[in-house]
């Protein structure tokens, strides 16, 4: 797993930097970048301790409604306010958010070169006048934030497509790594809800396309084209992160069961097929497409077909990371109590 992860990271870095030196077909670039980002994010999501906070079914049901409200609000802001003013405010917001995301993405590569105590000893800082607000961080995190701050300053000043993409990839990888659906039931509810969300806002309104074109922030990846009228092809981060956290859940399900389980491969192949279908249909009709229209059925379909073939539908649906986290905490607590008892004896 480690070697495959490293290869994926190097390949993602290569395809991200490649447009600076050679022309890369934007269709190929979209497919490779999206799939490699999901692959890397999924493998980074595998940790010794299961995620303690997971999404509930109710949150999954409300997510498309909340997303719709935010999307419509942005559309109205761009419609009735100056685009430059809105993007100026958003640039400041994403400048701070970008430092956090980029430093968190770089941290695993930096920690190995720093003193061990920098990685382990936490510094607690309380906000003046708001003592209840506490931030905990390590020296390594601060050190990783230095290149992140300089890079975000470059992005804010130049808005270069490479800076946009690197920040977008950092957001995507962190989203897949840190977010947990908890169970495949919750994941299916979320994906199906966003399936209809994407179709409605792309096919039946101009809202999604207008916001995507007006929003000058790293919420989308930009792929250079040879067309002067349309210099960049775009891919929204939601088309990477949302299905990505579902595919990551399949990988963690495999890990929890040990060797011989490969549902991750099925879900990941489904994602690849969905992205390829999106590109094919987009070029066939020469029009923007809701990527989740093709990705969601592919990911769920490939995974469902695999578990039905293996006769393991019940096992898949019974998987719940919140229960695993609870049992892991109990085991840890039990081990610590045992050690305490032995010391007392």
């Amino acid at each position: 797993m480690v070697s495959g992860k490293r290869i994926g990271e190097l390949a993602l870095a290569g395809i991200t930097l490649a447009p600076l030196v050679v022309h890369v077909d934007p269709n190929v670039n979209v497919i490779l970048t999206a799939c490699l980002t999901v692959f890397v994010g999924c493998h980074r999501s595998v940790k010794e301790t299961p995620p303690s906070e997971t999404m509930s079914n109710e949150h999954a049901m409300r997510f498309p409604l909340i997303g719709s409200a935010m999307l419509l609000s942005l559309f109205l802001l761009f419609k009735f306010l100056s685009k430059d003013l809105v993007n100026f405010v958003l640039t400041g917001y994403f400048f701070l958010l970008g430092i956090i995301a980029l430093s968190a993405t770089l941290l695993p590569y930096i920690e190995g070169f720093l003193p061990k105590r920098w990685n382990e000893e936490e510094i607690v800082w309380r906000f003046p006048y708001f003592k209840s607000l506490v931030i905990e961080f390590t020296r390594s995190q601060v050190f990783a934030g230095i290149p992140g701050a300089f890079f975000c300053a470059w992005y804010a000043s130049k808005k270069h497509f490479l800076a946009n993409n690197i920040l977008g990839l950092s957001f995507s990888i962190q989203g897949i790594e840190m977010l947990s659906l908890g169970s495949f039931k919750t994941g299916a509810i979320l994906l199906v809800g966003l399936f209809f969300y994407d179709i409605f806002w792309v096919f039946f309104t101009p809202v999604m396309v207008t916001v995507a074109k007006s929003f000058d922030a790293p919420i989308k990846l930009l792929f250079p084209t040879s067309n002067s009228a349309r210099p960049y092809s775009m891919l929204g981060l939601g088309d990477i992160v949302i299905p990505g956290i579902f595919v990551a859940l399949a990988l963690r399900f495999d890990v929890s069961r040990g060797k011989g389980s490969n549902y991750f491969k099925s879900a990941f192949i489904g994602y690849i097929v969905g992205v390829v279908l999106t590109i094919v249909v987009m070029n066939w009709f020469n029009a923007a497409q809701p990527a989740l229209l093709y990705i969601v059925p592919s990911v769920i379909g490939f995974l469902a077909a695999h578990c039905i073939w293996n006769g393991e539908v019940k096992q898949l649906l019974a998987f719940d990371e919140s229960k695993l986290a609870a049992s892991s905490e109990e085991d840890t607590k039990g081990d610590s109590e045992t050690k305490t008892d032995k010391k007392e004896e």
Side-chain angles (χ1 to χ4, degrees):
M1 183 181 293
V2 175
S3 60
K5 174 188 166 186
R6 292 295 182 215
I7 292 171
E9 290 169 341
L10 291 172
L12 180 59
I15 194 64
T16 301
L17 298 173
L20 292 176
V21 292
V22 296
H23 173 70
V24 181
D25 184 275
N27 297 321
V28 174
N29 205 345
V30 168
I31 294 169
L32 290 178
T33 302
C35 295
L36 287 170
T37 304
V38 168
F39 182 85
V40 171
C42 287
H43 283 80
R44 285 180 59 129
S45 76
V46 177
K47 304 178 186 297
E48 292 182 2
T49 304
S52 56
E53 295 185 8
T54 58
M55 185 179 292
S56 66
N57 290 347
E58 292 74 18
H59 289 148
M61 291 177 186
R62 289 199 295 263
F63 196 89
L65 299 177
I66 296 171
S68 297
M70 293 180 63
L71 183 66
L72 188 58
S73 298
L74 286 170
F75 176 76
L76 294 175
L77 283 174
F78 283 119
K79 187 175 180 63
F80 295 108
L81 294 178
S82 167
K83 289 183 180 180
D84 292 337
L85 175 62
V86 175
N87 280 316
F88 176 77
V89 174
L90 291 173
T91 296
Y93 172 73
F94 279 98
F95 174 82
L96 297 175
L97 201 62
I99 294 174
I100 297 171
L102 190 56
S103 61
T105 304
L106 294 174
L107 187 60
Y109 312 109
I110 294 176
E111 285 181 330
F113 299 96
L114 299 176
K116 189 176 181 180
R117 61 187 181 87
W118 283 28
N119 304 328
E120 297 175 349
E121 294 178 0
E122 289 192 340
I123 300 171
V124 179
W125 187 75
R126 298 180 184 274
F127 280 82
Y129 309 107
F130 298 95
K131 300 299 182 182
S132 58
L133 295 177
V134 179
I135 297 178
E136 297 180 355
F137 54 89
T138 63
R139 290 181 178 85
S140 296
Q141 289 173 325
V142 175
F143 190 85
I146 296 173
F150 280 106
F151 187 88
C152 289
W154 176 53
Y155 162 75
S157 62
K158 300 297 183 181
K159 293 295 181 73
H160 194 277
F161 83 90
L162 178 64
N164 174 90
N165 287 359
I166 290 176
L167 286 179
L169 291 174
S170 297
F171 290 139
S172 298
I173 291 171
Q174 287 301 302
I176 297 171
E177 178 181 352
M178 304 304 296
L179 297 176
S180 172
L181 293 169
S183 69
F184 288 100
K185 294 177 185 177
T186 303
I189 292 171
L190 178 65
L191 261 63
V192 170
L194 291 174
F195 169 82
F196 291 107
Y197 158 92
D198 217 17
I199 292 172
F200 175 77
W201 289 112
V202 173
F203 281 156
F204 297 99
T205 76
V207 173
M208 182 77 79
V209 175
T210 301
V211 171
K213 290 181 177 180
S214 303
F215 207 133
D216 188 13
I219 62 162
K220 58 185 182 290
L221 301 181
L222 303 175
F223 303 95
T225 70
S226 56
N227 186 348
S228 58
R230 194 183 67 175
Y232 296 104
S233 291
M234 296 183 296
L235 179 68
L237 300 191
D239 300 327
I240 298 174
V241 176
I242 298 302
I245 57 179
F246 188 84
V247 178
L249 184 66
L251 178 58
R252 295 196 296 274
F253 175 64
D254 288 343
V255 172
S256 71
R257 303 180 75 205
K259 295 181 179 180
S261 184
N262 55 4
Y263 288 106
F264 166 70
K265 291 181 180 179
S266 300
F268 185 61
I269 291 172
Y271 181 77
I272 296 173
V273 170
V275 174
V276 171
L277 279 174
T278 303
I279 297 300
V280 170
V281 176
M282 182 185 71
N283 284 283
W284 182 272
F285 290 102
N286 195 27
Q289 296 294 315
L292 295 182
L293 169 62
Y294 310 99
I295 295 173
V296 168
S298 297
V299 171
I300 295 179
F302 272 72
L303 184 65
H306 188 178
C307 71
I308 291 172
W309 179 267
N310 288 348
E312 295 183 329
V313 176
K314 289 184 179 180
Q315 292 91 323
L316 194 80
L317 295 178
F319 181 69
D320 191 331
E321 285 194 309
S322 60
K323 294 179 181 178
L324 288 176
S327 62
S328 177
E329 288 178 2
E330 290 179 0
D331 293 341
T332 303
K333 184 178 179 182
D335 292 340
S336 62
E337 289 177 351
T338 302
K339 291 178 181 178
T340 302
D341 293 339
K342 287 183 178 179
K343 286 181 179 179
E344 291 177 352
E345 290 175 0

